[in-house]
Amino acid sequence: MMEAARAAAAAPAGIRTVVSDYFEMTKPKVQSLLLFTTITTMYVAGEPSLGLVVLTCLGGALSAGGAGAVNHWFDRDLDAVMTRTASRPVASGRVSPRAALLFGVGLGVASVLLLSLTVNPLAAGLSACGFLGYVFVYTMWLKRSTPQNIVVGGAAGAVPPLVAWAAVTGGLSGTALYLFAIVFFWTPPHFWALSLLMKDEYAKAGVPMLPVVRGEEETRRQILLYTILLYAVTQLPFCAGAFGLTYVAISIALGAAFIAGAVVLFRRADRRSALRLYLFSLAYLALLFAGMVLDSA
């Protein structure tokens, strides 16, 4: 009787562990910002129905989650070496590589089918491009071969605004491309700030991130250069007439704060400044896209 009771109590706990592991493979923390840029872009593009927003976000979540799961499968050898990622489901052995791969591919296929049937083919195709770009271009090719991995591979993370715009309008415009460019140029300083904190881990795993290959000073210099370039890119939508004074005021204030943080990091060269800049970069992108919606309203 007691053994049966223990088994009955252990079953729900085991199910919760499995669900938690599969959920973790979808990288929900990364997805949250991607989904926020999707939602805000949709309201910049037009007046979407709640149903359209939900379906587009669900399709985007399936695509990004599937790409994340495939990343867990492919990078399991690297993850097992690094302390920060050693406890991930596949690297730790809780989920088999085959199951992770099938799960990831299944989510990617489900995303394309959902967006094709309920949104439109263009949104589905763009989402598929983001999935394939993250899996094949970044994860399987660039990440292990060049310190510029996050620069080129970051294009996959900049796809959500394009998907969102296509979902609302059925096409793409110059404004959609500007939003893509903003996320594209935001990605390197955001990720390099994190890579400064993870330099030893990446070196141990043999991943050629910029601070490992070219040193911390060059990484800080590149962060500063990219934040200046990002500021210039954020002014393009205003110059093109897509946004007004509310947006330009917000973008100038946020850009100045981002550049100031990069200058502090370049001068002080300490972990605290790197962590602050990394955390600020998350808030920066969210506030910038929220400013777009405010300006459009």
Side-chain angles (χ1 to χ4, degrees), residues 4-265:
R6 291 194 191 97
I15 293 174
R16 285 195 298 270
T17 300
V18 172
V19 171
S20 176
D21 284 339
Y22 276 81
F23 183 64
E24 181 182 345
M25 287 193 294
T26 65
K27 299 189 175 183
K29 292 181 180 180
V30 175
Q31 281 206 47
S32 60
L33 192 56
L34 298 180
L35 292 176
F36 185 79
T37 60
T38 298
I39 295 170
T40 50
T41 299
M42 292 184 76
Y43 284 101
V44 170
E47 298 180 357
S49 66
L50 179 60
L52 180 61
V53 173
V54 171
L55 289 169
T56 304
C57 288
L58 179 57
L62 290 171
S63 179
V70 175
N71 177 269
H72 274 249
W73 161 74
F74 190 79
D75 278 351
R76 62 191 184 276
D77 57 332
L78 302 180
D79 290 343
V81 174
M82 297 189 289
T83 303
R84 182 177 69 94
T85 56
S87 62
R88 284 179 172 176
V90 183
S92 64
R94 296 194 307 274
V95 175
S96 71
R98 181 175 181 272
L101 177 60
L102 291 176
F103 178 62
V105 173
L107 290 182
V109 172
S111 169
V112 173
L113 292 176
L114 176 68
L115 292 174
S116 297
L117 296 174
T118 64
V119 182
N120 60 57
L122 178 58
L126 290 168
S127 182
C129 288
F131 177 91
L132 296 173
Y134 184 81
V135 169
F136 290 102
V137 178
Y138 173 69
T139 299
M140 296 186 178
W141 175 30
L142 297 174
K143 183 175 180 179
R144 301 178 185 231
S145 61
T146 172
Q148 294 299 309
N149 45 24
I150 199 63
V151 176
V152 181
V159 168
L162 298 181
V163 176
W165 198 276
V168 175
T169 68
L172 293 176
S173 69
T175 303
L177 297 179
Y178 288 140
L179 302 190
F180 170 88
I182 287 172
V183 181
F184 179 82
F185 285 102
W186 165 86
T187 302
H190 161 73
F191 193 86
W192 284 335
L194 175 64
S195 69
L196 286 171
L197 301 171
M198 299 296 300
K199 175 189 173 184
D200 294 339
E201 292 279 277
Y202 285 128
K204 182 169 62 173
V207 181
M209 291 299 177
L210 191 63
V212 176
V213 176
R214 298 187 181 177
E216 294 187 16
E217 183 178 357
E218 178 60 23
T219 302
R220 294 191 299 271
R221 181 180 293 107
Q222 290 296 320
I223 288 174
L224 179 56
L225 291 175
Y226 267 87
T227 54
I228 295 172
L229 181 58
L230 172 63
Y231 170 79
V233 172
T234 60
Q235 302 312 303
L236 294 178
F238 172 74
C239 295
F243 298 121
L245 293 177
T246 299
Y247 167 79
V248 78
I250 293 173
S251 65
I252 289 174
L254 290 173
F258 206 165
I259 293 172
V263 170
V264 170
L265 174 60

